[in-house]
Amino acid sequence: MGIQEQYRNEAAELLSSGAVKLVIGYGGGSTPDRRRPVFVRSAEEVSRLVLDSYCVANLSAYLISEGLLSDGKNVAVFLKPDGIRSVNILSAEAQVNPDQVVILGFNIEGEQTTPLPGRKAADYAPLMESLRSSGLSPELQREADRLEQMSAVERFDYWKEQFAKCIKCYACRQVCPMCYCRRCIVDVNQPQWINTSSHTLGNFEWNIVRAFHLAGRCVACGGCDRACPVNIPLRLINHRMSKETLDIFGHFPGESADQKPVLATFRQDDPETFIL
Amino acid sequence: MAKIGVFVCHCGENIASMVDTGKLVTTISEHPGVAFSSEYKYFCSDPGQETVKKAIRENNLTGVVVAACSPRMHEQTFRKACAEAGLNPYMLELANIREQCSWVHTDKIQATDKAIEITRSLVEKVKRNNNLQPISVPVTRRAMVIGGGVAGIQAALDIASAGREVILVEREPSIGGHMAQLSETFPTLDCSQCILTPRMVEAVQHPNITVMTYSEVEEVDGYIGNFTVKVRQKARYVKMETCTGCGDCIQKCPVKKIPSDFECGLGNRTAIYTPFAQAVPNVPVIDRDRCTYFKNGKCKICQKTCQIDSIDFEQQDRMVSLEVGAIVVATGFQVQNTALYGEYGYGRYKDVITGLHFERLASASGPTAGKILRPSDGKEPETIVFLQCAGSRDAAKGVKYCSKICCMYTAKHAMLYAHKVHHGKTRIFYMDIRAAGKGYDEFTRRAIEEDQAGYIRGRVSKLYEENGKLIVRGVDTLLGKPVEVEADMVVLATAMIPQPDAKEFAKRIGIGYDEYGFYNEAHLKLRPVETATAGIYLAGACQSPKDIPDSVAQASAAAAKVLGLFSKEQLEREPVVASVSDSTCAGCWGCVIACPYNAIDRRDITDRNGNLIKRVASVNPGLCQGCGTCVSFCRSNSIDLAGFTEKQIFAEVMGL
């Protein structure tokens, strides 16, 4: 029995037993290599679920849909390790109750999709530990290093050019599980701190604010990068911030459901390298 | 329609010499909303304030900008003036064109342009200011004094004698501090113990003072008038309530060779001990790390000896939470040790000692019973060399400051030595003799003229041992000749330094410190005993090197500040507090964690049937200190700070 079959059965069982009211998973997309989210509410529908190496989106973002969990009923969701980390952060930030989330965990290695044992976020603690010890993505680091080697002026020009493409569609925000504010700061116009115009200042303001709001919270699922219709390499900005918080504060986002937010906590031994 | 008055202060020459105030006034008078503008030499003076008040009344001003010094200097002054003229005091802004402009620039044209920008930005801000009303909070009229040295004792006694409760916390087993270690005190040569011990007893017996010895402050929460302090009462293993201080246990303790801190290592103590015979309270403690029972599980001789069963090996550290309204920090100092000096033998020579060692040698209660005997062989030294500024005023040793007391105690040491060893010879190497203080210069003159203290102006380059003598090589800069002295003992007037954990402690209780670790006062000249944290005051050498008279004077000053605070039941607090927008708060609780004052709680919003709609963050205005940490943390921009609202700050930035 393949993993897809196994998880379809599991989803059917969860639904028919009433253990969950909804299964959020992947279904066929508009092209053979695309998957789209499907929301399965009865055991009869589980055949719509697809699970293979194209299932890359971080579905945890759907958990924060307004009102979804307010009836106290459980929801099952297909998640890769990055998604499990997102659930941990959302739990730590009181946006979801981890007891209400049943995780159908899986991993993708090349073409292979393998199941991850465990059903609750807390079951994945050993996985989180191994993820932490393997650190941030070396591929992203290689890409980031290329930018690090540029002079400040060159780097500024690079990002100016990248951000100039930004059309302020906020797809990066919509896809991100961390962007759960009911009113985003960019929508505040009294006063309008963030310029929505497509000039250099406005472009930088939005993208830098987004990066700061993700500092110590991004799990590198790559959702924003894939969602961006003009291909701004947002992953590199997020990676840079993650590296910073890991190097300075030893903070690996989404390690556990009781992890404190890195920018809101203070320890006696925090380095003070930013004080001149 | 805004009617803003702008008042440009010359601050004597402080501002006017670098900023063209006339141009500033003309330019700003044309800015939209400015109804009145003028300049004056000193707006903070009485006629200056009158000008402001008159202008408010005559022009019906809705807001005031005083372009002058930093708000820390005169915000209160002008708020009061505004209030007296009938304007809400929070309709005032200070445009800082002194510290942030005239003082730091050398080009008058640029400085003037900058002053115009700063003033304009504050005009834009003040247009959006709102009337604010002060917040009243209750005051817990009980004080805590941290540190039981002479400063702490004095502060506690003064507060207690005025009828307020005091908790005196000391981390050592006895109060008394460094003063208890001293022999005689300058400039009167009265015995330190004789003047201190009665004070110690008075403190411990005072009905309004609770003395907590062997206790350390772990955490300070809250704010002026309403602090919660967590104190760790370390396990003494001796019952305070029953122990009579007979000392039998100390006599019988088999571990006798522990170098005593109180004796600076010149004498020994036992594992169960009081630091000194006149300790207050006279209740011993067991040094857990040295006690045979705690190490091997056998012994308990003290317990067997104790006739009233006061030894309790099962005692645990106890955490006590105390509510106080004010805190006096009097944590004292340490003496730099001799090991720092390569040129003086890195602390290898037994007969190279610090001034504090000498105090113990000269003290009647000391290890030699007041005889000056050198530590290496117990012989009476024939020649003693004193080196002043050993570490102090020496950037290379990391101490740029003057330790202030060394000139005086060195003169005293020379005198005491001359009184005890009549044929003894002293040589004192000094840089300058700093004897400013009542009776101080007379005292050093007396040392020179009556007690033959031999002063040599110059530094010592090298010190080494040869044939049982210490050879001191230096230079006499007045004669311009090298000198070499054969000494039996050398006393280094090593620098007075902050406690080793001073910085960490400051962070724990939330006060500032300087590059060395001495605690910062709110204003060096005008607020010397207050810290920048309201409700926390300083006394003694934790702030800077001080002698006994200075420490005592500052302690009484701190006590006066505390009593001033306690004179009212309610305290008026600035209404600069944060508030949360319920509709946009996402309930991530980041602000709850970030708030350094625990001022933010979770609040349920329910419908009329009591069903939960959402939970939001909610600021307690009584606890909020207006620091703005939550404002900058909040991702959805749901928190605003009264007096510094987003709209005000935005207008201020855009006004630049």
Side-chain angles (χ1 to χ4, degrees):
Chain A
M1 188 168 60
I3 179 174
Q4 177 173 295
E5 205 50 38
Q6 181 194 332
Y7 273 25
R8 275 182 183 176
N9 291 345
E10 186 138 0
E13 166 130 17
L14 284 167
L15 286 164
S16 56
S17 69
V20 301
K21 64 169 177 177
L22 170 72
V23 174
I24 307 172
Y26 303 91
S30 47
T31 60
D33 58 354
R34 284 188 190 196
R35 297 290 167 259
R36 63 166 57 136
V38 294
F39 302 87
V40 180
R41 289 189 167 78
S42 69
E44 291 75 53
E45 292 179 84
V46 294
S47 57
R48 289 168 64 202
L49 290 168
V50 173
L51 188 57
D52 55 25
S53 60
Y54 297 121
C55 298
V56 288
N58 180 356
L59 298 182
S60 66
Y62 292 99
L63 292 172
I64 52 173
S65 309
E66 196 160 0
L68 176 66
L69 297 169
S70 57
D71 59 3
K73 291 186 179 146
N74 295 356
V75 170
V77 58
F78 282 74
L79 292 176
K80 291 194 285 122
D82 49 22
I84 301 170
R85 286 167 65 193
S86 299
V87 169
N88 275 338
I89 302 176
L90 290 171
S91 308
E93 296 181 359
Q95 300 305 309
V96 303
N97 175 356
D99 295 338
Q100 279 179 269
V101 182
V102 176
I103 295 172
L104 299 165
F106 66 99
N107 210 351
I108 301 172
E109 279 161 42
E111 302 261 295
Q112 284 296 311
T113 312
T114 49
L116 289 173
R119 286 298 168 258
K120 292 282 164 164
D123 299 340
Y124 295 93
L127 172 70
M128 294 298 124
E129 211 163 295
S130 75
L131 286 176
R132 184 198 170 92
S133 56
S134 49
L136 302 176
S137 152
E139 291 146 57
L140 282 176
Q141 189 54 44
R142 269 195 296 281
E143 280 188 75
D145 283 344
R146 193 170 54 81
L147 290 183
E148 292 283 334
Q149 276 151 15
M150 293 181 182
S151 71
V153 176
E154 286 170 346
R155 204 159 45 236
F156 186 79
D157 287 343
Y158 172 83
W159 285 115
K160 202 158 90 176
E161 202 179 301
Q162 292 296 335
F163 291 154
K165 300 186 285 188
C166 179
I167 54 170
K168 308 281 164 54
C169 68
Y170 306 124
C172 47
R173 176 183 81 186
Q174 295 311 114
V175 77
C176 182
M178 290 303 114
C179 281
Y180 51 71
C181 291
R182 296 287 171 250
R183 181 199 64 177
C184 176
I185 185 170
V186 79
D187 298 327
V188 179
N189 59 7
Q190 285 293 322
Q192 183 127 35
W193 284 110
I194 299 170
N195 244 295
T196 50
S197 318
S198 285
H199 48 50
T200 309
L201 180 65
N203 293 338
F204 268 86
E205 276 174 341
W206 163 242
N207 283 289
I208 287 176
V209 165
R210 198 193 67 87
F212 267 89
H213 283 190
L214 283 178
R217 302 168 76 229
C218 174
V219 297
C221 69
C224 50
D225 209 284
R226 284 190 300 273
C228 183
V230 293
N231 295 325
I232 300 171
L234 296 168
R235 60 183 180 282
L236 295 180
I237 307 172
N238 300 341
H239 174 79
R240 185 69 183 76
M241 298 306 279
S242 295
K243 185 168 166 15
E244 200 78 7
T245 48
L246 182 65
D247 289 353
I248 298 179
F249 303 110
H251 184 91
F252 186 73
E255 247 181 322
S256 70
D258 49 15
Q259 189 182 31
K260 295 253 170 80
V262 66
L263 295 188
T265 43
F266 169 77
R267 286 196 316 250
Q268 290 281 346
D269 56 349
D270 275 345
E272 292 175 343
T273 46
F274 49 88
I275 295 176
L276 298 176
Chain B
M1 181 60 199
K3 282 180 165 182
I4 310 299
V6 180
F7 302 88
V8 179
C9 183
H10 295 180
C11 194
E13 285 202 326
N14 275 301
I15 292 168
S17 66
M18 194 44 65
V19 171
D20 182 346
T21 48
K23 189 180 170 195
L24 173 53
V25 171
T26 357
T27 316
I28 210 72
S29 65
E30 286 157 16
H31 189 78
V34 175
F36 181 89
S37 54
S38 75
E39 56 181 312
Y40 185 62
K41 213 171 200 42
Y42 300 105
F43 268 116
C44 57
S45 67
D46 190 38
Q49 291 188 46
E50 278 308 316
T51 314
V52 176
K53 286 188 226 171
K54 194 162 156 246
I56 295 173
R57 286 195 201 101
E58 287 178 358
N59 301 281
N60 289 325
L61 297 180
T62 59
V64 168
V65 173
V66 180
C69 48
S70 135
R72 251 183 96 177
M73 190 78 198
H74 276 311
E75 191 172 57
Q76 291 304 334
T77 313
F78 292 111
R79 275 188 182 167
K80 215 165 137 248
C82 285
E84 279 165 7
L87 188 66
N88 184 286
Y90 296 91
M91 300 307 289
L92 165 95
E93 291 295 337
L94 235 64
N96 183 351
I97 57 166
R98 192 179 77 166
E99 285 87 339
Q100 291 172 0
C101 186
S102 70
W103 277 3
V104 290
H105 291 289
T106 48
D107 183 312
K108 195 162 180 175
I109 294 168
Q110 286 183 342
T112 305
D113 286 347
K114 184 170 166 183
I116 293 170
E117 297 250 319
I118 293 173
T119 312
R120 193 171 55 213
S121 104
L122 267 306
V123 170
E124 283 305 306
K125 184 188 176 198
V126 84
K127 283 184 191 171
R128 288 154 183 86
N129 277 19
N130 298 311
N131 288 353
L132 300 176
Q133 305 305 331
I135 300 168
S136 279
V137 286
V139 180
T140 308
R141 296 199 272 184
R142 182 187 305 121
M144 174 171 283
V145 176
I146 307 173
V150 67
I153 292 172
Q154 183 68 40
L157 283 173
D158 285 349
I159 299 167
S161 304
R164 299 291 169 206
E165 282 177 54
V166 185
I167 302 159
L168 178 61
V169 184
E170 166 61 54
R171 67 170 161 192
E172 298 296 328
S174 167
I175 56 172
H178 277 110
M179 190 175 163
Q181 289 175 280
L182 308 183
S183 52
E184 271 82 39
T185 53
F186 60 79
T188 45
L189 291 190
D190 40 1
C191 144
S192 184
Q193 289 247 348
C194 313
I195 54 176
L196 178 70
T197 46
R199 288 295 174 94
M200 290 160 63
V201 176
E202 198 185 335
V204 82
Q205 289 180 350
H206 201 293
N208 284 340
I209 301 181
T210 311
V211 176
M212 296 173 73
T213 50
Y214 215 43
S215 300
E216 290 199 58
V217 170
E218 298 249 310
E219 210 180 297
V220 173
D221 262 344
Y223 57 97
I224 180 168
N226 297 273
F227 293 105
T228 305
V229 186
K230 288 212 179 90
V231 178
R232 175 184 296 276
Q233 279 191 304
K234 292 179 279 188
R236 264 186 130 91
Y237 305 109
V238 177
K239 292 181 201 156
M240 282 286 276
E241 316 78 55
T242 52
C243 172
T244 59
C246 70
D248 285 353
C249 51
I250 301 173
Q251 296 284 334
K252 292 278 162 36
C253 179
V255 192
K256 295 197 188 297
K257 293 256 164 99
I258 304 166
S260 157
D261 285 339
F262 184 81
E263 300 293 0
C264 303
L266 294 172
N268 291 332
R269 65 163 170 85
T270 45
I272 184 165
Y273 72 106
T274 53
F276 53 105
Q278 298 75 23
V280 171
N282 188 18
V283 176
V285 296
I286 296 180
D287 179 350
R288 202 189 155 102
D289 299 331
R290 312 289 179 91
C291 169
T292 315
Y293 170 71
F294 280 115
K295 271 166 47 184
N296 308 331
K298 279 185 194 145
C299 181
K300 289 196 175 179
I301 290 176
C302 49
Q303 199 174 44
K304 287 166 208 151
T305 312
C306 184
Q307 310 211 347
I308 39 171
D309 194 24
S310 284
I311 309 284
D312 177 7
F313 291 105
E314 305 302 312
Q315 255 184 25
Q316 300 287 330
D317 286 7
R318 229 157 51 90
M319 292 300 292
V320 199
S321 186
L322 299 159
E323 307 286 326
V324 295
I327 298 172
V328 178
V329 179
T331 49
F333 68 100
Q334 280 303 333
V335 173
Q336 204 177 33
N337 66 29
T338 56
L340 203 65
Y341 307 96
E343 59 271 44
Y344 307 150
Y346 288 116
R348 272 197 317 260
Y349 308 133
K350 274 193 168 176
D351 295 327
V352 178
I353 60 174
T354 66
L356 199 57
H357 284 115
F358 192 90
E359 294 287 345
R360 291 316 298 151
L361 292 178
S363 168
S365 66
T368 57
K371 289 208 177 89
I372 310 291
L373 303 174
R374 57 187 215 165
S376 62
D377 52 10
K379 282 190 193 147
E380 196 173 69
E382 309 269 309
T383 306
I384 302 185
V385 169
F386 294 89
L387 307 186
Q388 288 192 185
C389 298
S392 304
R393 303 172 69 195
D394 188 349
K397 299 289 181 212
V399 179
K400 280 181 252 172
Y401 56 86
C402 164
S403 291
K404 200 174 173 187
I405 58 167
C406 323
C407 288
M408 293 307 296
Y409 74 63
T410 301
K412 177 189 78 181
H413 288 171
M415 234 182 226
L416 293 179
Y417 176 58
H419 296 174
K420 289 176 191 246
V421 183
H422 299 302
H423 60 283
K425 209 168 85 174
T426 51
R427 288 290 175 267
I428 303 172
F429 284 89
Y430 71 102
M431 280 157 69
D432 303 285
I433 300 176
R434 296 184 167 180
K438 191 169 180 179
Y440 283 13
D441 204 52
E442 297 92 314
F443 184 79
T444 53
R445 294 310 307 171
R446 210 171 102 203
I448 297 167
E449 287 157 15
E450 292 175 23
D451 291 314
Q452 283 77 44
Y455 276 88
I456 302 172
R457 190 183 185 281
R459 302 284 281 163
V460 168
S461 59
K462 200 172 178 191
L463 191 162
Y464 58 96
E465 217 168 29
E466 204 173 82
N467 304 328
K469 291 271 184 191
L470 290 160
I471 313 296
V472 183
R473 271 202 197 153
V475 61
D476 185 330
T477 53
L478 295 180
L479 294 176
K481 279 186 184 162
V483 270
E484 194 172 287
V485 186
E486 274 192 12
D488 300 305
M489 192 158 97
V490 174
V491 183
L492 303 182
T494 55
M496 211 167 171
I497 54 172
Q499 296 279 9
D501 58 348
K503 290 183 183 174
E504 194 248 305
F505 184 72
K507 285 182 194 167
R508 217 183 310 150
I509 65 169
I511 58 172
Y513 50 86
D514 65 13
E515 56 182 308
Y516 310 106
F518 288 118
Y519 297 148
N520 281 346
E521 56 293 308
H523 189 284
L524 195 57
K525 285 157 276 181
L526 299 177
R527 294 169 70 197
V529 302
E530 295 156 83
T531 64
T533 308
I536 304 188
Y537 307 92
L538 299 174
C542 61
Q543 182 199 19
S544 64
K546 283 193 187 67
D547 56 17
I548 297 167
D550 281 2
S551 297
V552 171
Q554 198 191 13
S556 289
K561 286 283 168 195
V562 171
L563 293 168
L565 170 65
F566 288 176
S567 63
K568 291 187 212 123
E569 279 179 30
Q570 297 273 324
L571 188 70
E572 284 213 332
R573 288 242 344 271
E574 284 219 1
V576 178
V577 291
S579 60
V580 180
S581 151
D582 292 348
S583 58
T584 55
C585 172
C588 74
W589 314 131
C591 54
V592 176
I593 298 166
C595 178
Y597 305 99
N598 295 330
I600 310 181
D601 287 324
R602 299 163 170 85
R603 184 165 60 85
D604 290 347
I605 298 178
T606 53
D607 64 15
R608 63 181 69 179
N609 299 323
N611 301 317
L612 181 71
I613 299 171
K614 69 186 287 199
R615 299 185 83 188
V616 294
S618 170
V619 179
N620 177 344
L623 294 173
C624 176
Q625 296 293 295
C627 69
T629 304
C630 56
V631 179
S632 55
F633 183 83
C634 184
R635 285 182 289 268
S636 63
N637 235 24
S638 300
I639 314 185
D640 222 349
L641 188 61
F644 297 89
T645 60
E646 299 269 332
K647 280 184 192 171
Q648 286 172 288
I649 301 290
F650 191 80
E652 194 178 340
V653 173
M654 287 315 185
L656 285 172

